Amino acid sequence: MTVLVENVNSSISASLTALRLVGFWAPRGMSSSGNLFYNLYGFFCFMFLLGTYLIIQVVDMFVIWGDLPLMTGTAFLLFTNLAQAVKLANLVKRRRMIRTIINEADHILKAESTDEGKEVVSRCNRETAMQQVLYVGLTIVTMVGWATSAEKNKLPLRAWYPYDTSQSPAYELTYLHQVFALFVAATLNVSKDTLVTALIAQCRCRLRLLGLALRRLCHDADVTGDLLVPAAYEAVVAERLRSCVARHQAALLSAEQLQSCFSESTLAQFTVSLVIICVTAFQLVSQAGNVVRLLSMGTYLLNMMFQVFLYCYQGNQLSEECWVCYRVWALAPGIELRLFPRVKGERPGH
């Protein structure tokens, strides 16, 4: 069993590797017993990283109900964990379709042979990698701030426990659990978000490669002065055009599959992010006496805003690339007349 997941996009490779390490992206070819143990391992990781937090934070909300400052102190992380649990459940539920989308895009982008096309793929990889690194950086700063801002004999994050957490060794063990689980859960959250946005970026990359292929339809044909393709090249260029049509349909299908897989979880994420941004802004006001905590809450606010920005940016870029392809396809009648100069007044194939 290989731990590292290979992909032409380094951001997707890193995201899937992180998910595999905690039991949410099973290697292919495992036996039935191996899948069973892997799923049990994933359930244990979920309970250790998120399940326990969800239970104790929900109980804490009931205990402190009515105290607005304390409720907001618990709510921002509770909502974050709820959104992450929804995204994990969606990933597990639709992993077969998601795996198909990933493998198809990886195969197509790896098969690109032209220098210009390889540069397009490389730019896409650099862009998503840079976004992931920035996202991870903001997350690490936030986590370190939370871990180091706890007052004496107090935990970094509010939660209810069925024992006295101020006594040793319960305090040290609970502190370590919170810090470790927080770092790993935050890494998983970054992995899931960057996985989705990188898949959107790859879909946009495929459309850009399609536009490049359309512009190169007649690159090696000896086009005459009246912009007519020689008869010897008509079949070759027509086949290229049919290939472009198939690639366009495949890219559109991939975009529809992405929407089908991630629309509900993205809606949940956006809804929760709006609440968290408001709650975190409220918490910033009450942290004036703790500079480290204030800075960590500020970076957490930037983190949540950057999370929303990633989805909006990649979605907008995909829409822009679709319009570019549609404008190129609008020239199809002219292309066809150049390819089939002997057929006048009708479209080829009619």
Side-chain angles (χ1 to χ4, degrees), residues 107-184:
H107 174 74
I108 291 173
L109 298 185
K110 280 182 178 178
E112 182 59 38
S113 58
T114 65
D115 292 337
E116 291 177 274
K118 290 179 179 179
E119 178 59 27
V120 170
V121 176
S122 179
R123 283 202 303 268
C124 175
N125 184 37
R126 289 196 299 269
E127 177 186 284
T128 54
M130 182 182 65
Q131 292 172 351
Q132 188 178 52
V133 168
L134 182 56
Y135 196 179
V136 170
L138 287 173
T139 301
I140 291 176
V141 171
T142 302
M143 298 301 103
V144 171
W146 281 350
T148 58
S149 63
E151 299 178 2
K152 187 177 181 180
N153 293 330
K154 288 188 178 181
L155 297 171
L157 302 170
R158 275 200 57 86
W160 174 87
Y161 289 91
Y163 54 86
D164 187 1
T165 58
S166 62
Q167 301 297 320
S168 182
Y171 170 74
E172 289 80 8
L173 292 175
T174 307
Y175 189 100
L176 288 175
H177 171 259
Q178 280 202 354
V179 171
F180 178 76
L182 196 64
F183 269 91
V184 178

Side-chain angles (χ1 to χ4, degrees), residues 196-217:
V196 178
T197 55
L199 288 175
I200 297 173
Q202 281 195 330
C203 190
R204 171 168 57 93
C205 182
R206 290 170 63 177
L207 291 173
R208 186 165 295 179
L209 291 174
L210 171 63
L212 178 63
L214 285 171
R215 290 192 294 270
R216 292 172 56 87
L217 277 176

Side-chain angles (χ1 to χ4, degrees), residues 294-315:
L294 179 66
L295 292 175
S296 63
M297 292 300 293
T299 55
Y300 182 68
L301 181 61
L302 290 175
N303 206 334
M304 298 308 299
M305 295 172 67
F306 186 73
Q307 182 186 55
V308 174
F309 165 77
L310 281 181
Y311 284 95
C312 294
Y313 171 78
Q314 292 295 354

Side-chain angles (χ1 to χ4, degrees), residues 184-326:
V184 178
T187 302
L188 288 181
N189 199 34
V190 172
S191 299
K192 292 190 297 293
D193 288 330
T194 53
L195 173 64
V196 178
T197 55
L199 288 175
I200 297 173
Q202 281 195 330
C203 190
R204 171 168 57 93
C205 182
R206 290 170 63 177
L207 291 173
R208 186 165 295 179
L209 291 174
L210 171 63
L212 178 63
L214 285 171
R215 290 192 294 270
R216 292 172 56 87
L217 277 176
C218 308
H219 73 282
D220 56 351
D222 186 14
V223 181
T224 61
D226 53 357
L227 299 180
L228 297 180
V229 177
Y233 279 92
E234 288 182 6
V236 174
V237 180
E239 180 60 32
R240 291 174 182 171
L241 186 58
R242 281 190 289 268
S243 175
C244 288
V245 172
R247 291 172 60 180
H248 188 216
Q249 293 301 312
L252 294 180
L253 177 60
S254 179
E256 290 179 2
Q257 290 174 333
L258 282 174
Q259 183 177 2
S260 175
C261 287
F262 298 109
S263 58
E264 294 91 346
S265 59
T266 304
L267 175 62
Q269 178 63 64
F270 269 62
T271 304
V272 169
S273 295
L274 292 176
V275 175
I276 292 174
I277 288 172
C278 296
V279 170
T280 306
F282 180 86
Q283 277 286 303
L284 281 171
V285 179
S286 60
Q287 299 294 332
N290 190 332
V291 178
V292 177
R293 186 75 171 183
L294 179 66
L295 292 175
S296 63
M297 292 300 293
T299 55
Y300 182 68
L301 181 61
L302 290 175
N303 206 334
M304 298 308 299
M305 295 172 67
F306 186 73
Q307 182 186 55
V308 174
F309 165 77
L310 281 181
Y311 284 95
C312 294
Y313 171 78
Q314 292 295 354
N316 177 73
Q317 293 298 101
L318 179 60
S319 298
E320 289 292 329
E321 202 62 45
C322 285
W323 278 111
V324 170
C325 280
Y326 286 137

